[in-house]
């Protein structure tokens, strides 16, 4: 495991020949391995199959308050669903709106509504302003960025640090620019780095001075119960922090069961101050008569309570953890000590974030693809698909089997080495 | 049953005393009867309970094309769902997008997207224009009007005739005014009149000249299989008519199973030209990874095919028809021949539309409410809740039991008579 910096051109070329041979062998296998999206594996989905049996034609189809869950009504969700998810997010039931099958949908619609109608306290719909800007801690979640791009919201990259986004930079920007209306955050086991924001970061978010009166933090707490260890990260409660700081209406929280129960048939959840919730409910009443209450009841009856949910997530972790370990041990064994890549070891979530040498990510992803390994497109973790250092690669280990993952990682590591050698050789040639 | 016009003041007052006595007796009963919304009754919902048993943890959870319905994916719906609903709407599967649990949501989002981004062929987002106007055949569906009101779209009332909206008026308006971007239609068993548009109306819609290039018909075919007789109304296919007229992209069709399966847990469906579908799918991909596929599969497996769906709707009709008959026979026995009210006898749908004498609807609805009978708010069937003649009352007979309905109708008819007498008396006093 030599540091590549210590190798001369001849040594690099020799290594290149050796690795290329391995790469070409894999290429000839005609593999088809997909590590591109954070999809649960069939084994994970199996854990929730019992949910299909909890509501039947013979059972009671009434909610705790007597609501016939088959009929219309219930704009913000069943009482027991609001109660359950208020415990997940550590907020009050009246601070919850239960949505449809996806929190992405809730986030999209929240922005669409802000553009068309403004948020609670806005002087004008955001769409009527000359410019709307969002801060995007990056690397981040591509689907957040796509929503901004769709609606013409200008995205400003903020770097991620070890305990969350660069707060010095954020505080400076939001204090000066009234056009900055929001920020995207995945505060726990972040996508893709797996970082959980420190208490200090949460507090600074709650307290910071913003030029825009109607600035909002889009707090996508997607991985709030998705631990991989027995000592899970703790995330400070942002809504409580915002209230304490006198900025109760600053945060929109989102979560979902997409990666808890069924990815396509889960429950999306919105949480915020009662002011925000009431403001949005008035608009929401024009969009829907309420989300699928049968699915809400199914979820509540299946998970029963938070303790049981935690047990369910332990079973998920038992399936996922070996996959994360495989990725990490391959990275360590193949790339460790070579000074050509760095990565995070997350305590939870769905991703591992790999940084190559600058200018190598696109070439690595392409090379892996040529050998049958599909990764998230290089650049996808940055606004406009543009990673300025072209170095970040998001690895999604959950969907492939352990065997597939092992092979895919071998190929990925080969590609990182080969592209790095190419870079080193061209740099040496220039000197 | 005398024509009220033939009664003198003394006769009217005598009648008033007699009817008031009956009314006050009811009032003392402290009733609570709700005919306000088009909600299916528990008996109707029971017809679909078997849907809860078709997917279990033991069965196969794969769609026909091998898709694991529990996982992410399927932006526009499962192939079998698209196939099924393409038959319901008589369009091609590729002209279908399967939505979430409500077509209202699809309609709202379609307008929101048009405001923010325009529709296929727009020169600008509608929201960037100085004004956007919609034609609203009235009486119509209050939730259509609410969407326009939410987004500041100016609504223009167009009268309903016996075979659909006043096409002479519509053709004149859309030819002249570029700001008119759309029209709301419930073309079959319309809400609330129960009218089905004639072939001529459909053809004129397809062929008419519009000043706005990106004019759209919002064709809410909510009651397309909701027949009450064995000789159902036939509605001409609007998409085919638009294609034939060279205006293929003119219509957005919507339907749902809300009043077929479960009102809160059905499936919303959008259909349109492939141009429109593709344009919207690109935007939709930023909002969702796809609708609930488990619920789609559940529906398709339960209904199996169109013939079976028709049988299911016959069973619905067996429950609903006696309720419609009760309403109609009460109207006939209590108000017939008195020249104080008129109503439609629909062949399907969910409503009966009652017109009182001008200026009486609000008073009737209030009076009924005071005796415990909740009706849809007077005026709700018109844009801005403003029925210019204050005469239209929407009766929703499906939810109450037959017994409740009978009592509620007796009270309603008493109120119509009492308010009419009041009006006649004050008119006679003026003369």
């Amino acid at each position: 495991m030599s540091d590549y910096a210590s190798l001369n051109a001849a040594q690099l070329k020799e290594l290149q020949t050796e690795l290329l041979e391995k790469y070409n062998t894999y290429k000839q296998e005609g593999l088809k391995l997909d590590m591109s999206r954070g999809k649960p594996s069939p084994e994970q989905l199996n854990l929730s199959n019992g949910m299909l049996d909890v509501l039947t034609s013979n059972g009671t189809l009434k909610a705790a308050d007597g609501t016939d869950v088959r009929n219309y009504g219930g704009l913000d969700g069943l009482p027991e669903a609001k109660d359950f998810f208020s415990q997940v997010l550590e907020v009050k039931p009246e601070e919850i709106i239960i949505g449809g099958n996806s929190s992405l949908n809730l986030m999209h619609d929240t922005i669409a509504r802000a553009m068309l109608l403004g948020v609670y306290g806005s002087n004008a719909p955001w769409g009527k302003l000359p410019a709307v800007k969002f801060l995007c801690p990056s690397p981040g979640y591509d689907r957040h960025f796509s929503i901004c791009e769709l609606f013409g919201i200008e995205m400003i990259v903020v770097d991620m640090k070890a305990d969350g986004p660069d707060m010095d930079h954020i505080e400076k920007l939001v204090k000066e620019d009234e056009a900055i209306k929001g920020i995207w955050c995945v505060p726990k086991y972040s996508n893709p780095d797996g970082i959980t924001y420190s208490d200090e970061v949460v507090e600074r978010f709650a307290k910071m001075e913003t030029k825009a009166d109607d600035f909002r933090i889009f707090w996508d707490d997607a991985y709030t119960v998705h631990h991989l260890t027995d000592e899970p990260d703790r995330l400070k409660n942002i809504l409580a922090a915002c209230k304490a700081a006198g900025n109760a209406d600053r945060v929109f929280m989102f979560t979902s069961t997409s990666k808890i129960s069924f990815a396509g048939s889960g429950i999306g959840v919105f949480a915020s101050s009662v002011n925000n919730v009431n403001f949005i409910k008035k608009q929401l009443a024009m969009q829907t008569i309420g989300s699928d209450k049968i699915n809400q009841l199914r979820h509540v009856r299946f998970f029963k309570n938070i303790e049981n949910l935690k047990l369910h997530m332990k079973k998920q972790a038992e399936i996922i953890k070996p996959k994360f370990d495989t990725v990490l041990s391959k990275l360590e064994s193949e790339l460790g000590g070579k000074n050509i890549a760095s990565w995070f070891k997350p305590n939870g979530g769905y991703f591992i974030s790999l940084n190559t040498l600058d200018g190598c990510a696109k070439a690595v992803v392409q090379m892996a693809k040529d050998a049958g390994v599909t990764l998230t497109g290089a650049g996808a973790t940055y606004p406009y698909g543009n990673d300025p250092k072209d170095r970040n690669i998001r690895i999604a280990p959950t969907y492939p089997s352990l065997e597939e993952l092992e092979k895919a990682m071998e190929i990925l590591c080969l590609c990182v080495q080969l592209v790095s050698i190419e870079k080193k050789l061209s740099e040496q040639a220039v000197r």
Side-chain angles (χ1 to χ4, degrees), chain A:
Chain A
M1 303 296 150
S2 323
D3 186 337
Y4 277 28
S6 70
L7 301 180
N8 63 28
Q11 289 167 318
L12 284 170
K13 278 184 182 163
E14 191 184 335
L15 189 57
Q16 186 180 40
T17 308
E18 182 195 321
L19 296 172
L20 251 182
E21 202 174 314
K22 284 191 195 171
Y23 173 79
N24 284 325
T25 310
Y26 279 123
K27 205 171 166 181
Q28 280 158 20
E29 286 188 35
L31 298 166
K32 244 190 126 176
L33 305 170
D34 194 339
M35 289 199 296
S36 66
R37 303 292 328 173
K39 282 173 73 171
S41 66
E43 293 70 32
Q44 289 174 261
L45 297 168
N46 288 346
L47 295 175
S48 298
N49 278 1
M51 191 179 289
L52 297 169
D53 306 328
V54 294
L55 291 188
T56 66
S57 60
N58 297 318
T60 168
L61 299 166
K62 298 235 162 140
D65 65 353
T67 300
D68 185 336
V69 295
R70 305 168 304 171
N71 220 323
Y72 285 117
L75 179 65
D76 52 0
L78 292 178
E80 50 261 69
K82 289 198 282 178
D83 186 59
F84 182 81
F85 287 105
S86 74
Q87 292 175 61
V88 172
L89 286 174
E90 297 173 352
V91 300
K92 294 181 193 153
E94 63 266 31
E95 292 165 339
I96 291 270
I97 296 174
I98 306 289
N101 76 325
S102 125
S103 56
L104 181 68
N105 201 316
L106 289 171
M107 291 184 257
H108 169 282
D109 288 7
T110 304
I111 301 237
R113 265 193 283 270
M115 294 299 283
L116 285 164
L117 307 162
V119 298
Y120 176 77
S122 290
N123 293 318
W126 293 359
K128 296 280 183 200
L129 305 173
V132 180
K133 302 177 190 170
F134 258 57
L135 302 183
C136 298
S138 302
Y141 180 31
D142 55 349
R143 293 189 188 273
H144 289 163
F145 306 152
S146 304
I147 293 173
C148 283
E149 211 170 340
L150 178 68
F151 295 130
I153 295 171
E154 186 186 327
M155 291 180 274
I156 301 168
V157 171
V158 172
D159 286 340
M160 281 295 289
K161 303 181 130 191
D163 70 338
D166 182 343
M167 290 309 298
D168 291 342
H169 191 199
I170 289 172
E171 284 166 347
K172 187 170 176 292
L173 288 168
V174 297
K175 194 177 174 177
E176 284 169 2
D177 190 348
E178 200 172 357
I180 299 175
K181 292 291 191 184
I183 183 168
W184 287 112
C185 296
V186 183
K188 196 163 177 181
Y189 308 132
S190 68
N191 178 353
D193 287 333
I195 288 168
T196 297
Y197 294 10
S198 69
D199 288 1
E200 189 203 329
V201 163
V202 174
E203 274 157 32
R204 287 174 74 176
F205 265 125
K207 285 178 188 160
M208 69 189 184
E209 192 184 321
T210 65
K211 188 86 182 271
D213 286 337
D214 55 352
F215 177 89
R216 288 295 183 276
I217 302 166
F218 284 70
W219 196 255
D220 183 3
D221 202 3
Y223 307 107
T224 191
V225 291
H226 299 63
H227 316 298
L228 288 170
T229 76
D230 289 333
E231 287 174 6
D233 292 0
R234 273 291 305 170
L235 174 66
K236 197 175 162 75
N237 186 320
I238 181 88
L239 184 55
C242 285
K243 285 179 191 173
N247 295 314
D249 303 321
R250 177 171 286 179
V251 63
F252 291 151
M253 302 169 78
F254 304 89
T255 195
S256 84
T257 68
S258 296
K259 286 168 184 121
I260 297 174
S261 60
F262 297 131
S265 308
I267 289 178
V269 180
F270 171 89
S272 194
S273 70
V274 170
N275 283 339
N276 285 328
V277 162
N278 287 344
F279 185 82
I280 285 176
K281 277 204 292 200
K282 267 187 213 156
Q283 302 165 346
L284 193 66
M286 309 301 133
Q287 184 183 26
T288 178
I289 302 172
S291 300
D292 185 336
K293 293 185 298 299
I294 293 184
N295 206 31
Q296 291 173 37
L297 191 62
R298 202 179 269 127
H299 274 73
V300 174
R301 291 224 182 132
F302 180 70
F303 287 117
K304 295 183 187 82
N305 54 53
I306 297 297
E307 284 315 306
N308 202 44
L309 173 70
K310 286 179 185 164
L311 282 177
H312 179 87
M313 295 313 291
K314 279 203 188 227
K315 291 182 202 160
Q316 296 263 14
E318 280 165 22
I319 298 168
I320 297 175
K321 180 78 171 18
K323 296 184 179 179
F324 274 73
D325 288 347
T326 297
V327 170
L328 292 166
S329 77
K330 275 285 165 196
L331 289 173
E332 192 55 49
S333 67
E334 303 302 311
L335 306 179
K338 293 182 178 165
N339 242 327
I340 54 172
S342 63
W343 53 91
F344 288 88
K345 291 182 187 172
N347 290 326
Y350 250 60
F351 302 103
I352 289 166
S353 179
L354 174 68
N355 284 322
T356 64
L357 296 175
D358 288 3
C360 289
K362 266 191 198 142
V364 168
V365 169
Q366 183 58 50
M367 204 175 177
K369 193 174 184 180
D370 293 343
V373 176
T374 307
L375 295 153
T376 308
T381 52
Y382 280 77
Y384 311 106
N386 177 29
D387 173 0
K389 292 184 177 165
D390 183 26
R391 67 172 188 182
N392 189 250
I393 295 175
R394 187 182 79 163
I395 299 173
T398 53
Y399 190 75
S401 68
L402 265 179
E403 297 69 34
E404 288 173 331
L405 198 59
E406 204 147 324
K407 196 165 264 185
M409 283 307 298
E410 271 169 35
I411 292 168
L412 172 59
C413 291
L414 275 175
C415 297
V416 172
Q417 291 173 85
L418 282 163
V419 173
S420 302
I421 290 170
E422 199 74 53
K423 178 182 158 96
K424 296 275 178 197
L425 285 172
S426 71
E427 279 169 0
Q428 290 189 359
V430 170
R431 268 181 231 145

